[in-house]
């Protein structure tokens, strides 16, 4: 149980285009989903927190107009990287949390984005 | 503010020998603490968690960790390393009462035959 999927697992796009990444909780309903960014050989940095039906809360320094997050249902959150640039190339990881489980987050496998 | 420090960026052990990964935290309230493992090109997997119950926490794959409030530590141990334990390990603390997580910098574990 508690499986989180991400799609796509790997994407290459040209500079200036937009890319959408999906995060789904497959066998449970997630009250909260999180989006992280991980650079090579580095730790995870939280980008934003989203609750179903509400606007996402972004961490300091994260451009909300560049990284659009939509949490339309209890099983789906999307991250759209708008007008992507090479510096946006990174590993994006989502996680899902169920209230009452002691803050445990279930992580997706990640999406590697390369912007050329 | 909450923070977590992993004292070793890289640990190398021989197969069959004990593994110790060190983690210290700071928190202004009673935190929840976790250890996650990340294998190459894989998602993060929860090894174990401490949520104010027993201070000695047993996890999957033979790992365990002890919460020591007086030392603000949450070190991860395993009595006998396997080759499959080679991965990146993250010590994680809840950074607020809403469940946001703060990750340590990670410890890369290498297991030699």
């Amino acid at each position: 149980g508690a499986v989180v999927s991400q799609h796509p697992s790997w994407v290459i796009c040209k500079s200036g285009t937009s890319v959408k990444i999906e995060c789904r909780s497959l066998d449970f309903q997630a009250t909260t989903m999180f989006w992280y960014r991980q650079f090579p050989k580095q730790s995870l940095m939280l980008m934003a927190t989203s609750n179903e039906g509400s606007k996402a809360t972004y961490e300091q320094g994260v451009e909300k107009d560049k990284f659009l997050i939509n949490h339309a249902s209890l099983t789906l959150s999307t991250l759209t990287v708008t007008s992507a640039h090479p510096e946006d190339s990174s590993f994006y990881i989502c996680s899902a949390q169920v209230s009452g489980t002691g803050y445990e987050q279930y992580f997706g496998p990640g999406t590697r984005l390369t912007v050329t | 503010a909450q923070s977590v420090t992993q004292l070793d960026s890289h640990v190398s052990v021989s197969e069959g020998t004990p593994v110790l990964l060190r983690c210290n935290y700071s928190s202004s309230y009673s935190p929840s603490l976790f250890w996650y493992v990340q294998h190459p090109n894989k998602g993060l997997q929860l090894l174990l968690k401490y949520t104010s119950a027993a201070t000695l926490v047993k996890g999957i794959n033979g790992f365990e960790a002890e919460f020591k409030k007086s030392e603000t530590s949450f070190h991860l141990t395993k009595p006998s390393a396997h080759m499959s334990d080679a991965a990146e390990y993250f010590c994680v603390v809840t950074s607020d009462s809403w469940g946001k997580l703060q990750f340590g910098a990670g410890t890369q574990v290498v297991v030699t035959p």
Side-chain angles (χ1 to χ4, degrees), chain B residues 40-56:
Chain B
N41 300 312
K42 295 279 185 70
L44 279 85
Q45 181 182 22
L46 179 68
L47 287 176
L48 48 81
K49 64 180 178 181
Y50 166 78
T51 55
S52 76
T55 56
L56 182 61

Side-chain angles (χ1 to χ4, degrees), chain B residues 39-82:
Chain B
H39 287 92
N41 300 312
K42 295 279 185 70
L44 279 85
Q45 181 182 22
L46 179 68
L47 287 176
L48 48 81
K49 64 180 178 181
Y50 166 78
T51 55
S52 76
T55 56
L56 182 61
V57 182
K58 293 189 182 297
I60 62 171
N61 301 335
F63 285 95
E64 64 179 38
E66 186 171 8
F67 175 74
K68 291 187 176 180
K69 187 174 182 179
S70 60
E71 298 176 10
T72 60
S73 69
F74 190 56
H75 301 336
L76 180 71
T77 61
K78 182 173 180 176
S80 176
H82 294 170

Side-chain angles (χ1 to χ4, degrees), chain A residues 32 34 36 38 41-46 49 57 59 91 93 97 101-110 112, chain B residues 32 34 36 38 41-46 49 51 88 90 94-101 103-106 108:
Chain A
T32 306
F34 301 85
Y36 296 85
Q38 185 180 30
K41 305 293 184 182
Q42 294 189 26
S43 189
L44 279 73
M45 297 296 294
L46 179 65
T49 303
T57 301
E59 294 300 298
F91 196 50
I93 302 172
Q97 183 180 73
T101 60
Y103 304 124
E104 182 175 344
Q105 293 183 21
Y106 303 95
F107 286 83
R112 184 158 305 283
Chain B
S32 293
F34 309 81
Y36 283 88
Q38 185 180 35
N41 300 312
K42 295 279 185 70
L44 279 85
Q45 181 182 22
L46 179 68
K49 64 180 178 181
T51 55
E88 186 85 17
F90 294 99
T94 47
S95 64
D96 66 9
S97 58
W98 297 99
K100 281 167 52 175
L101 301 180
F103 281 73
Q108 180 72 43

Side-chain angles (χ1 to χ4, degrees), chain A:
Chain A
V3 178
V4 176
S5 70
Q6 281 184 242
H7 178 80
S9 56
W10 179 62
V11 58
I12 299 176
C13 71
K14 291 187 176 181
S15 186
T17 62
S18 296
V19 174
K20 179 185 284 188
I21 301 170
E22 290 187 350
C23 176
R24 293 181 185 272
S25 56
L26 299 184
D27 50 4
F28 67 102
Q29 292 186 325
T31 49
T32 306
M33 288 186 169
F34 301 85
W35 286 94
Y36 296 85
R37 186 172 180 176
Q38 185 180 30
F39 289 105
K41 305 293 184 182
Q42 294 189 26
S43 189
L44 279 73
M45 297 296 294
L46 179 65
M47 297 175 66
T49 303
S50 72
N51 292 292
E52 184 261 342
S54 302
K55 286 186 177 181
T57 301
Y58 291 81
E59 294 300 298
Q60 193 170 11
V62 177
E63 300 176 59
K64 59 182 67 176
D65 293 332
K66 179 165 194 58
F67 298 100
L68 300 179
I69 292 172
N70 183 274
H71 193 160
S73 76
L74 286 172
T75 59
L76 174 64
S77 177
T78 60
L79 168 68
T80 301
V81 183
T82 62
S83 186
H85 291 285
E87 57 266 30
D88 299 324
S89 298
S90 189
F91 196 50
Y92 292 88
I93 302 172
C94 74
S95 71
Q97 183 180 73
V98 179
S99 62
T101 60
Y103 304 124
E104 182 175 344
Q105 293 183 21
Y106 303 95
F107 286 83
T111 296
R112 184 158 305 283
L113 170 64
T114 300
V115 184
T116 61

